[in-house]
Amino acid sequence: MKKIALVTGGTRGIGSGISKALRDKGYLVAANYHKGHEAAEKYSTETGIPVFSWDVSDYEACEKGVEKVCEKLGGTVDILVNNAGITRDSMLHKMDPSAWSIVIATNLNSVFNMCRVIIPSMRDKKFGRIINISSVNGVKGQVGQANYSAAKAGILGFTKALAQESASKGITVNAVAPGYISTDMTDVIRDDIKEKIIAGIPVGRFGTVDEIANAVLFLADEKSSFVTGITLNVNGGQYF
């Protein structure tokens, strides 16, 4: 029986690449999204990946959303990829409290919500793979991103703690921390700023979505059962 994989924020950017890579590897994949219904439906039609809409920052919505996924795919979730995230960038002395709260809720609280809903069934099965998508800026921090950096750093501590709680149950919990990756979000960066960023990346380029997806595939594999509690930095050789 095929294993079920659920990717939050799974219809765009890095999440889309992860969803498609898992599908191509033979998993039954469900892609979560929140807004952009038309685009999500188009994505589902093009890829054959079923899509499910709910707000991952809302615990009850996560409960209901996961229930729908399980009903649709005919089983419980084996692989959870917590990828959903947003930015609301601002220098801290100008940051509106709402910009702090929504980023923490969407990027960090969502990881608790999804894991809390799904991990009981993983413990019952004595198998699970949880992969949390952090960021290079959660490792090193970034000017204008106190909210984002805090959320992504929080994911790393959460990952290590849950990995220790879950290791005896056949569940691995790991994080991937992407560096600068070519997506729609980075395409809008001014060329002069891109050049400065690339100058600080030893391999001399932005990464690709496929390279992040490949890291997720490694951590999701049954053969990766001795790898847990790590942060896999996929950032072109940046170390801090």
Side-chain angles (χ1 to χ4, degrees), residues 1-220:
M1 184 176 177
K2 289 186 175 182
K3 286 187 164 46
I4 294 173
L6 171 56
V7 184
T8 68
T11 65
R12 297 176 58 192
I14 289 174
S16 170
I18 292 169
S19 295
K20 289 187 282 189
L22 287 165
R23 176 204 62 189
D24 293 346
K25 198 71 173 176
Y27 297 101
L28 288 175
V29 181
N32 152 269
Y33 72 100
H34 185 205
K35 297 178 180 178
H37 182 71
E38 262 186 47
E41 288 298 326
K42 181 181 178 184
Y43 174 84
S44 182
T45 300
E46 291 174 350
T47 63
I49 297 170
V51 296
F52 300 83
S53 176
W54 74 84
D55 179 0
V56 290
S57 71
D58 181 328
Y59 183 80
E60 289 186 0
C62 290
E63 286 185 308
K64 293 175 183 176
V66 170
E67 185 178 349
K68 289 179 181 177
V69 169
C70 294
E71 287 176 0
K72 175 78 173 179
L73 300 188
T76 58
V77 175
D78 300 286
I79 295 119
L80 169 63
V81 183
N82 284 306
N83 167 75
I86 61 170
T87 57
R88 295 290 187 274
D89 295 352
S90 171
M91 298 292 281
L92 185 66
H93 65 281
K94 296 180 180 179
M95 185 177 290
D96 191 276
S98 65
W100 172 269
S101 297
I102 194 170
V103 169
I104 295 296
T106 304
N107 296 13
L108 180 58
N109 293 355
S110 65
V111 177
F112 164 80
N113 292 341
M114 292 300 299
C115 288
R116 178 63 184 83
V117 169
I118 286 173
I119 204 163
S121 64
M122 289 183 171
R123 291 173 68 90
D124 288 342
K125 289 188 296 187
K126 297 193 183 306
F127 178 85
R129 297 286 182 266
I130 297 173
I131 300 115
N132 300 320
I133 307 302
S134 180
S135 167
V136 62
N137 293 341
V139 177
K140 73 175 184 64
Q142 179 61 280
V143 172
Q145 286 196 325
N147 50 3
Y148 184 83
S149 296
K152 292 299 187 177
I155 286 173
L156 302 183
F158 177 93
T159 296
K160 292 173 184 177
L162 187 57
Q164 292 178 53
E165 291 183 11
S166 308
S168 66
K169 298 297 184 181
I171 303 164
T172 65
V173 188
N174 294 290
V176 175
Y180 287 92
I181 307 299
S182 293
T183 65
D184 292 343
M185 289 179 69
T186 56
D187 286 345
V188 300
I189 298 174
R190 289 197 336 245
D191 287 342
D192 60 322
I193 296 175
K194 279 186 182 179
E195 288 174 9
K196 289 179 181 178
I197 293 170
I198 290 171
I201 302 173
V203 302
R205 62 174 176 83
F206 280 10
T208 68
V209 167
D210 287 345
E211 287 168 323
I212 303 304
N214 190 55
V216 171
L217 289 179
F218 165 69
L219 294 172

